[in-house]
Amino acid sequence: MTAEGYAAATGLVERSAAAFASGVPEQPADDGFFGPGSVTWRISADLAGPVAGLRALLMQALHPLAMAGVDQHSDWRQDPVGRLAATSAYVATISFGERAAAEQAAARVRRIHEHVRGTDAVTGRPYAAGDPALLLWVHVALVDSAIAARRALGTPLAAADADRYVAEMVVAAELVGVPAAQVPASVAELASYIAAVRPELRCTPAASESMAYLLDPPGLDEDLAEIWQDVRDAAVGTLPDWAREMYGYPAPPALTPERRTEIRQALGVLDAVFLSEPGVLEARQRLALRMRTARTA
Amino acid sequence: MNLRRAGAALAIGGAAAGLVLAVLRLRLGRLRFDRGKAALQLAARGGARYAASAPRLFAAAGENREQLRHDLALQTAEDVATTLGTMKGVLMKIGQMASYIDDGLSPAVRRTLSRLQDSVPPMSPELAARVVQEELGMPPERAFASWDPEPIAAASIGQVHRAITLDGRAVAVKVQYPGIAETIAADLGNVSLLRRMLRITAPAQDVDALLAELRDRVLEELDYRREAENQRMMAAYYDGHPTIAIPGIVSELSTRRMVTSELSDGARFAELAGWSQQERDLAGETIYRFVFRSLYEVHAFNGDPHPGNYLFHGGGRVTFLDFGLVKHFTAAELQPLMHMARDLCVRQDPEAFRRSMEEAGFLRPGAPLSTETLVEHMAVFYDTIREPGRLTMTGDYASAVVRRFFDVRSPVAEYVSVPRSYVILQRINLGLFAILGELSATADWRRIAEEIWPFVQAPPSTPMGEAEAAWRARRQAAAKTPA
């Protein structure tokens, strides 16, 4: 624990890597809910992944009721890295796991959510983590961030592919308990949903506190800490202006082509470090082989 | 799945067809046939050797290594960019040179660098063929009498294929990944990121010099024409040498992204463990002579003392491979090094040694250090040549040299630094000691050095020295006789 009462973020890469590797099955019985021909798999392999993840958390935290649930029920202050790794493992299992594994993971999350209820101190509103409205915001923030991060920093994504990705991801929301009919299924629907939710969003003290930790995690390995600054700048830079203003973050330097290259280089180094963790290269090779087979079949 | 199998079958079929074609061609003339047949056998054996001992031959995990290599092969230039772009190619290159900086790197960084090398699959046969087509204006099947589409080894930012030239020579063809040179050149510009990533535990000014030097060397390596030029130059210099052999370059098949050299066969470094100590001593003597003859006579240093870059033939005969990393020196750069050796070992004049160190930029002028302390610190680097007498290089000695080199706590460290042009030289020196130590090579290194030192030029001290002197005499005679 650091002086501020938070546990240090040591082992962030190691544990995220282990979470990823464990989510990619060795001898899958089926292709899961997405499969090697999906846009979802293609997007997951992108260099911009860490930026997408951080941006998603920044967006999600702006919903006061979603944030209150995390704040009052999660152990993130004691074990922030474990909390992130659990989310990474969940996302990897839903994305790459067999159907049975994905359903099992989702069922577990739904069970945990049943006990996450309370009243948000800021708005005075009651909340329940199983509320489809909250789950949908969390889902949309993730999908929107994957597209935004990839557009800004990753390899270009055709508009049709972005739409396909949003549509593919509907099933992920369904798995945690959102009726499919409520889930945006195109980029346009995604945008209008976000616009509709916006009046409810705000930066509560809990959001401010937890995100401050994430943007500058104490105890990160020295060499990673500097690379993390680039990830942070990129994540904050790809937020919508209104979201950044809610947090009161200054606008990061403009994403010039040179700056973009620099950030991509930092992401490449981060990826190289990730790749050197046990099991990651093998997991990636398993995915690459299946994607290649799907491409040539 | 079926498609993949079909692809593999095609590739193998292609190889077989290539060989049949080559044999048919060779039957056309008796001379060609014999030469080609020998070449084929050589190629087959050499290939197996390469494949068995190349240290990081596309290491993929699991039992299906071969299949994985095939299935994960880079098929397009975009695949190359995804795999090696955004710093990964640069880090991989630096990883290959990590032997020079190994002791300054944290275990985590070292692990990352070595894992990166494992993560790079070979090019698919089609992609490699496309590079050859772009470089030569014709497909490999036409440019060569026989072309093996399966690579036999991973090379520096490329891979090695065996082939037989149209005139029947067995060759090794190094083919560069398409687009890699541009990617690496761009990523090398981000020095601050490299610095952060590597976090070398050495004094800051050394890190900067080292990075700058590594950067220059990597940039040079991106253009294979330079490598061909280096190898041609070395091969020409050592032509006819009794124990040093350098495979010839086939110039018309060497371009920016392709370098074709004669295929050599011989025992790999690891096999020397089973050889007699006398043979190992002779091999050590040849490597020693090669390193210092090249430095003092050619003003160049083969920068890669990696054990994989030697082939051994017995009787001290050694073939030197891979001239991708050659450092050239000017006479002015070499002078202070010579003076240091001369002052300490021959004249035994510590004050002059100190002045030469200052001239070379190794020692800050006016450093508050006694000359005695300085000599005591530096002597370990000259231990093997300060006095005549037979001496065995050991792993312990090599480690002691390395430890001293990286000893930042020594009272001398603060005032001693390695100027940029000598950075690689120092690292190679360390590599040389490590290799000789591994061989437990014994010789009178001082007397061999005296033969080579331009400021001594002593007569031969060993049978190999005699043979070398005769070769030198023949060279000089040939140089004087107008052609």
Side-chain angles (χ1 to χ4, degrees):
Chain A
M1 301 274 281
T2 63
E4 293 83 15
Y6 303 118
T10 35
L12 178 61
V13 170
E14 292 83 346
R15 292 180 65 182
S16 319
F20 166 75
S22 71
V24 180
E26 280 180 36
Q27 303 279 333
D30 58 51
D31 277 342
F33 285 95
F34 301 94
S38 65
V39 182
T40 304
W41 277 33
R42 209 161 15 108
I43 285 192
S44 306
D46 199 84
L47 203 59
V51 175
L54 186 55
R55 182 192 186 272
L57 292 168
L58 285 162
M59 291 286 277
Q60 288 163 351
L62 286 177
H63 197 301
L65 301 188
M67 188 63 234
V70 173
D71 188 49
Q72 296 171 10
H73 293 270
S74 155
D75 62 347
W76 77 267
R77 285 184 188 78
Q78 287 76 49
D79 184 16
V81 169
R83 186 72 212 79
L84 283 174
T87 303
S88 304
Y90 177 74
V91 171
T93 303
I94 295 293
S95 307
F96 308 115
E98 298 167 9
R99 280 173 178 257
E103 276 163 353
Q104 224 175 351
R108 209 178 139 252
V109 166
R110 285 199 307 269
R111 264 199 316 277
I112 295 169
H113 280 170
E114 280 171 27
H115 308 287
V116 179
R117 301 164 175 279
T119 305
D120 170 33
V122 177
T123 57
R125 286 164 62 191
Y127 65 83
D131 177 359
L134 300 189
L135 294 169
L136 185 54
W137 171 249
V138 168
H139 169 80
V140 163
L142 179 80
V143 174
D144 182 60
S145 295
I147 295 174
R150 172 126 181 185
R151 281 218 172 116
L153 296 155
T155 20
L157 186 67
D161 283 344
D163 275 331
R164 224 184 106 194
Y165 170 64
V166 180
E168 281 176 9
M169 286 294 282
V170 169
V171 71
E174 259 190 293
L175 279 168
V176 281
V178 187
Q182 297 179 17
V183 188
S186 69
V187 172
E189 285 178 29
L190 201 66
S192 48
Y193 168 82
I194 293 172
V197 176
R198 217 177 113 183
E200 293 177 45
L201 304 178
R202 69 178 71 182
C203 177
T204 61
S208 182
E209 176 201 347
S210 55
M211 293 305 118
Y213 176 92
L214 265 185
L215 294 186
D216 194 8
L220 210 57
D221 301 337
E222 216 182 321
D223 34 355
L224 279 179
E226 292 189 49
I227 288 171
W228 193 253
Q229 290 175 7
D230 284 332
V231 176
R232 179 190 64 196
D233 279 1
V236 171
T238 55
L239 281 177
D241 289 342
W242 53 262
R244 202 170 45 240
E245 281 156 18
M246 281 182 186
Y247 279 113
Y249 298 145
L255 197 64
T256 58
E258 295 75 34
R259 181 69 189 129
R260 183 178 182 274
T261 302
E262 249 175 47
I263 292 176
R264 278 179 58 83
Q265 287 169 333
L267 289 170
V269 170
L270 187 60
D271 194 57
V273 175
F274 193 73
L275 197 63
S276 66
E277 290 300 322
V280 172
L281 177 60
E282 290 75 11
R284 288 227 182 130
Q285 285 178 335
R286 290 198 292 274
L287 293 176
L289 277 178
R290 291 171 66 194
M291 287 167 81
R292 181 164 282 191
T293 310
R295 207 163 62 193
T296 51
Chain B
M1 193 67 201
N2 282 335
L3 259 177
R4 261 202 342 252
R5 280 223 187 95
L10 264 179
I12 294 163
L19 290 182
V20 169
L21 242 168
V23 170
L24 278 178
R25 229 178 235 285
L26 300 166
R27 280 190 194 284
L28 294 175
R30 173 86 195 142
L31 180 78
R32 276 184 122 188
F33 177 75
D34 282 340
R35 201 166 167 196
K37 193 174 147 205
L40 269 178
Q41 286 167 348
L42 184 61
R45 277 189 300 145
R49 277 244 166 75
Y50 260 116
S53 56
R56 286 184 175 117
L57 186 75
F58 314 128
E63 293 172 347
N64 307 322
R65 258 172 82 134
E66 284 299 306
Q67 188 62 33
L68 258 181
R69 275 181 52 181
H70 243 287
D71 295 347
L72 289 167
L74 306 171
Q75 292 174 331
T76 61
E78 290 84 74
D79 286 348
V80 175
T82 312
T83 312
L84 290 163
T86 55
M87 301 310 277
K88 295 211 188 78
V90 171
L91 294 174
M92 200 185 81
K93 256 333 312 145
I94 289 176
Q96 284 172 352
M97 298 183 189
S99 52
Y100 312 123
I101 45 179
D102 226 19
D103 289 81
L105 293 178
S106 75
V109 170
R110 225 175 306 165
R111 191 185 57 201
T112 300
L113 294 180
S114 82
R115 195 67 175 150
L116 262 182
Q117 291 181 37
D118 294 345
S119 76
V120 183
M123 283 182 272
S124 68
E126 297 76 17
L127 185 58
R130 209 171 314 147
V131 176
V132 173
Q133 163 88 43
E134 282 167 17
E135 292 301 287
L136 300 178
M138 62 178 97
E141 295 75 23
R142 268 183 50 216
F144 296 89
S146 164
W147 171 262
D148 184 350
E150 291 301 316
I152 53 169
S156 162
I157 54 168
Q159 62 194 31
V160 181
H161 289 260
R162 278 174 298 163
I164 295 172
T165 59
L166 294 175
D167 61 2
R169 280 179 286 175
V171 289
V173 186
K174 190 152 92 172
V175 182
Q176 191 174 101
Y177 293 130
I180 189 67
E182 294 76 5
T183 302
I184 288 185
D187 285 345
L188 271 171
N190 199 334
V191 175
S192 73
L193 187 58
L194 286 175
R195 250 196 92 112
R196 275 189 264 159
M197 172 67 197
L198 295 175
R199 292 218 162 256
I200 302 159
T201 55
Q205 56 183 11
D206 288 359
V207 176
D208 283 342
L210 180 62
L211 271 181
E213 188 67 19
L214 283 175
R215 218 175 134 239
D216 286 0
R217 297 285 82 74
V218 170
L219 280 172
E220 277 182 14
E221 273 199 83
L222 298 181
D223 187 345
Y224 283 176
R225 282 174 301 196
R226 188 180 282 265
E227 172 173 352
E229 206 175 290
N230 285 330
Q231 191 164 336
R232 245 189 319 259
M233 181 196 74
M234 292 295 233
Y237 177 77
Y238 285 107
D239 186 31
H241 191 281
T243 57
I244 296 169
I246 291 162
I249 290 285
V250 183
S251 297
E252 63 274 21
L253 297 170
S254 298
T255 65
R256 183 171 70 85
R257 296 188 297 175
M258 241 180 101
V259 52
T260 301
S261 67
E262 289 164 357
L263 194 65
S264 304
D265 191 20
R268 308 297 298 206
F269 189 78
E271 298 174 52
L272 256 63
W275 288 22
S276 72
Q277 188 54 49
Q278 192 193 357
E279 280 290 353
R280 290 149 58 102
D281 289 347
L282 287 172
E285 181 175 346
T286 297
I287 292 174
Y288 192 86
R289 285 179 185 274
F290 170 74
V291 166
F292 290 105
R293 280 265 173 244
S294 301
L295 180 64
Y296 288 122
E297 310 264 332
V298 194
H299 291 189
F301 225 53
N302 181 16
D304 202 347
H306 185 278
N309 291 341
Y310 308 99
L311 291 170
F312 301 91
H313 313 279
R317 284 174 304 124
V318 180
T319 298
F320 294 82
L321 304 170
D322 201 330
F323 291 82
L325 183 71
V326 168
K327 169 78 182 166
H328 297 268
F329 292 92
T330 62
E333 283 170 332
L334 275 179
Q335 185 102 334
L337 292 182
M338 275 196 260
H339 287 172
M340 282 166 66
R342 183 198 60 195
D343 296 339
L344 188 70
C345 304
V346 182
R347 296 189 180 164
Q348 303 189 347
D349 179 347
E351 290 304 331
F353 174 72
R354 180 185 187 130
R355 278 194 302 279
S356 295
M357 267 191 84
E358 288 175 358
E359 274 167 41
F362 280 105
L363 178 69
R364 199 193 299 163
L369 274 176
S370 74
T371 301
E372 205 182 359
T373 313
L374 181 70
V375 168
E376 198 186 311
H377 175 82
M378 293 297 294
V380 65
F381 300 112
Y382 296 91
D383 262 0
T384 54
I385 48 169
R386 282 185 88 182
E387 306 285 341
R390 285 176 69 78
L391 202 140
T392 301
M393 298 279 192
T394 63
D396 285 350
Y397 173 66
S399 326
V401 170
V402 170
R403 265 201 313 279
R404 173 60 54 90
F405 187 78
F406 286 104
D407 182 8
V408 289
R409 286 178 306 278
S410 129
V412 177
E414 199 182 330
Y415 310 104
V416 173
S417 69
V418 182
R420 184 174 154 192
S421 54
Y422 303 126
V423 165
I424 293 281
L425 177 83
Q426 280 300 86
R427 264 48 180 197
I428 295 160
N429 246 325
L430 304 184
L432 172 68
F433 285 130
I435 292 266
L436 295 178
E438 199 139 334
L439 290 172
S440 306
T442 305
D444 189 334
W445 307 107
R446 165 61 184 257
R447 295 190 57 200
I448 296 172
E450 283 181 355
E451 288 179 44
I452 300 170
W453 277 335
F455 45 86
V456 179
Q457 298 195 17
S461 65
T462 70
M464 193 187 290
E466 299 278 357
E468 197 177 48
W471 163 75
R472 282 165 62 78
R474 280 198 305 277
R475 273 189 105 245
Q476 270 159 9
K480 276 180 197 141
T481 317

